[in-house]
């Protein structure tokens, strides 16, 4: 049965004690059996990010998993873009610097993003590269931080699955569903796009910018920095569909009922935890959700906030990823019944 349980964020209470009541009500650790290898999928935050989920919450999840006989490890995949978590070594160092040190941190897709299992999926993608460590885990607790995202509107459990549990190749595959157009009538050939691109992919040919590289991940850096507005991303909602498609592929590597979800709607920032500077707080602290469905847990969050703030800010519909996930067969409800746990 699909359900969502929720506790409101209240700093006058012991939130560590409250969240354990949430776990008990939601049956968060019912998916674990003695001796199993349990992935705790989290986002450790880009080095210096102040708003990722606090380590003591993760450490308490580790404790609960050990109590039922599981063997927990922390995991996340490397980034396609060239930041602090682009390789396994620097990713592990970042995890340690941010305080995630109570269980082994195993980089999900290897030292350089090479460890992946290609699986078939549904939706806008036909296949996707699932991070190898994720594909081999017996069960998984997906810990997400709800916040804004410039390309997908918001990031929650579906994004944590689809983008966070795939290798660098899988990430690029998802991002390439977004289009990029250059209006040559506006382009002045200044080369600013090539300058700001970390991979220097745009070229200036015949006095005009051209970007046909298959390595381009459709990040907004070039369009944001073009002085004449000649560059724009198109079909941005395709990334939301790709997230759902990739999430389906990730879940196909687990047996039924072996994945649980916890989402923190606290410090709901303008941008993703992938940045050391995630922008301003967009919404007041809401609370913590637990569920056995990524569709329901994301749907519950969006139901309880004014998510159109994100839609307007990023010109993308937050609900697309949730609707698409349900449409392609991931269990859950868009507007689930929420069991609000009170003290």
């Amino acid at each position: 049965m699909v359900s969502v349980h929720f506790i409101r964020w209240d700093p006058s209470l012991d939130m560590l004690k409250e969240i354990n009541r949430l776990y008990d009500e939601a049956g968060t650790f019912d998916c674990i059996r003695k001796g199993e290898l349990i992935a705790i999928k989290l986002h450790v935050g880009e080095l210096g990010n102040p708003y990722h989920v606090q380590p003591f919450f993760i450490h308490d999840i580790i404790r609960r998993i050990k109590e039922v006989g599981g063997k927990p490890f922390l995991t996340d995949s490397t980034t396609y873009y060239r930041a602090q978590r682009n390789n396994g070594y620097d990713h592990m160092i970042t995890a340690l610097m941010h305080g995630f040190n109570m269980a082994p941190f195993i980089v999900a897709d290897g030292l350089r993003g090479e460890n992946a299992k290609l699986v078939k999926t549904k939706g806008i993608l036909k296949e996707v590269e699932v991070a190898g460590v994720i594909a081999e885990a017996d069960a998984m607790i997906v810990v997400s931080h709800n916040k804004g995202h410039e390309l997908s509107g918001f990031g929650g459990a579906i994004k944590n699955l689809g983008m966070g549990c795939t290798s660098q190749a899988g990430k690029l595959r998802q991002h390439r569903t977004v289009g990029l157009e250059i209006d040559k009538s506006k382009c002045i050939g200044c080369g600013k796009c090539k300058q700001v691109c970390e991979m220097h992919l745009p070229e200036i040919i015949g006095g005009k910018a051209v970007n046909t590289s298959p390595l381009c991940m459709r990040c907004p850096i070039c369009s944001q920095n073009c002085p004449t507005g000649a560059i724009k991303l198109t079909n941005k909602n395709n990334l939301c569909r790709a997230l759902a498609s990739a999430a389906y592929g990730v879940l196909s590597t687990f047996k039924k009922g072996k994945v649980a979800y916890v989402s923190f709607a606290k410090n709901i920032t303008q941008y993703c935890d992938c940045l050391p500077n995630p922008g301003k707080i967009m919404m007041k602290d809401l609370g913590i959700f637990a569920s056995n469905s990524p569709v329901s847990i994301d749907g519950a969050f969006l139901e309880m906030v004014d998510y159109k703030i994100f839609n307007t800010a990023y010109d993308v519909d937050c609900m697309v990823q949730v609707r698409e996930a349900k449409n392609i067969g991931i269990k859950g409800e868009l507007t689930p019944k929420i069991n609000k746990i009170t003290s």
Side-chain angles (χ1 to χ4, degrees), residues 12 48 50 75 105 171 212 216 247 279 281 288:
S12 71
T75 193
F105 184 91
K171 291 175 172 63
T212 58
C216 174
I281 301 291
I288 308 170

Short mmCIF file of all heavy atoms in Angstrom, two decimals, residues 12 48 50 75 105 171 212 216 247 279 281 288:
data_model
loop_
_atom_site.label_atom_id
_atom_site.label_comp_id
_atom_site.label_asym_id
_atom_site.label_seq_id
_atom_site.Cartn_x
_atom_site.Cartn_y
_atom_site.Cartn_z
N SER A 12 11.17 23.66 18.32
CA SER A 12 10.93 23.59 19.76
C SER A 12 10.88 22.14 20.25
O SER A 12 10.85 21.89 21.44
CB SER A 12 9.61 24.30 20.12
OG SER A 12 8.50 23.55 19.67
N GLY A 48 31.10 23.13 0.61
CA GLY A 48 30.73 24.47 1.09
C GLY A 48 29.23 24.71 1.10
O GLY A 48 28.78 25.71 1.68
N PRO A 50 25.70 24.93 2.41
CA PRO A 50 25.28 24.96 3.81
C PRO A 50 23.95 24.29 4.12
O PRO A 50 23.55 24.23 5.28
CB PRO A 50 25.18 26.46 4.08
CG PRO A 50 24.74 27.04 2.78
CD PRO A 50 25.38 26.19 1.71
N THR A 75 26.13 6.39 -0.19
CA THR A 75 26.52 6.40 -1.59
C THR A 75 25.91 7.58 -2.35
O THR A 75 24.83 8.08 -2.00
CB THR A 75 26.14 5.08 -2.29
OG1 THR A 75 26.79 4.99 -3.56
CG2 THR A 75 24.63 4.94 -2.46
N PHE A 105 31.60 5.32 2.80
CA PHE A 105 31.04 6.06 1.66
C PHE A 105 31.59 5.40 0.41
O PHE A 105 32.80 5.43 0.16
CB PHE A 105 31.42 7.54 1.71
CG PHE A 105 30.79 8.34 0.60
CD1 PHE A 105 29.55 8.95 0.79
CD2 PHE A 105 31.40 8.47 -0.64
CE1 PHE A 105 28.95 9.68 -0.24
CE2 PHE A 105 30.82 9.19 -1.66
CZ PHE A 105 29.59 9.80 -1.46
N LYS A 171 23.65 10.51 -16.73
CA LYS A 171 23.31 11.92 -16.52
C LYS A 171 23.31 12.68 -17.84
O LYS A 171 22.40 13.46 -18.13
CB LYS A 171 24.30 12.55 -15.54
CG LYS A 171 24.18 12.05 -14.11
CD LYS A 171 25.28 12.65 -13.25
CE LYS A 171 25.10 12.32 -11.77
NZ LYS A 171 25.16 10.89 -11.47
N THR A 212 27.70 21.88 -31.56
CA THR A 212 27.16 20.59 -32.01
C THR A 212 27.81 19.43 -31.25
O THR A 212 27.62 18.27 -31.62
CB THR A 212 27.39 20.39 -33.51
OG1 THR A 212 28.80 20.48 -33.79
CG2 THR A 212 26.65 21.45 -34.32
N CYS A 216 27.92 18.17 -24.79
CA CYS A 216 27.20 19.28 -24.15
C CYS A 216 26.04 18.76 -23.33
O CYS A 216 25.17 18.05 -23.84
CB CYS A 216 26.69 20.25 -25.21
SG CYS A 216 25.64 21.57 -24.54
N ALA A 247 14.53 7.11 -13.32
CA ALA A 247 14.12 6.57 -12.02
C ALA A 247 13.50 5.18 -12.19
O ALA A 247 13.75 4.27 -11.38
CB ALA A 247 13.12 7.52 -11.35
N GLY A 279 21.77 29.81 -3.36
CA GLY A 279 20.80 30.88 -3.49
C GLY A 279 19.96 31.09 -2.25
O GLY A 279 20.21 30.53 -1.19
N ILE A 281 16.59 31.23 0.30
CA ILE A 281 15.51 30.35 0.75
C ILE A 281 14.22 30.79 0.08
O ILE A 281 13.82 31.94 0.17
CB ILE A 281 15.37 30.38 2.28
CG1 ILE A 281 16.67 29.95 2.96
CG2 ILE A 281 14.19 29.52 2.73
CD1 ILE A 281 17.01 28.50 2.79
N ILE A 288 9.26 16.89 7.34
CA ILE A 288 9.92 15.70 6.83
C ILE A 288 8.87 14.68 6.41
O ILE A 288 7.90 14.44 7.14
CB ILE A 288 10.86 15.09 7.89
CG1 ILE A 288 11.81 16.17 8.45
CG2 ILE A 288 11.67 13.94 7.29
CD1 ILE A 288 12.59 15.71 9.66
#
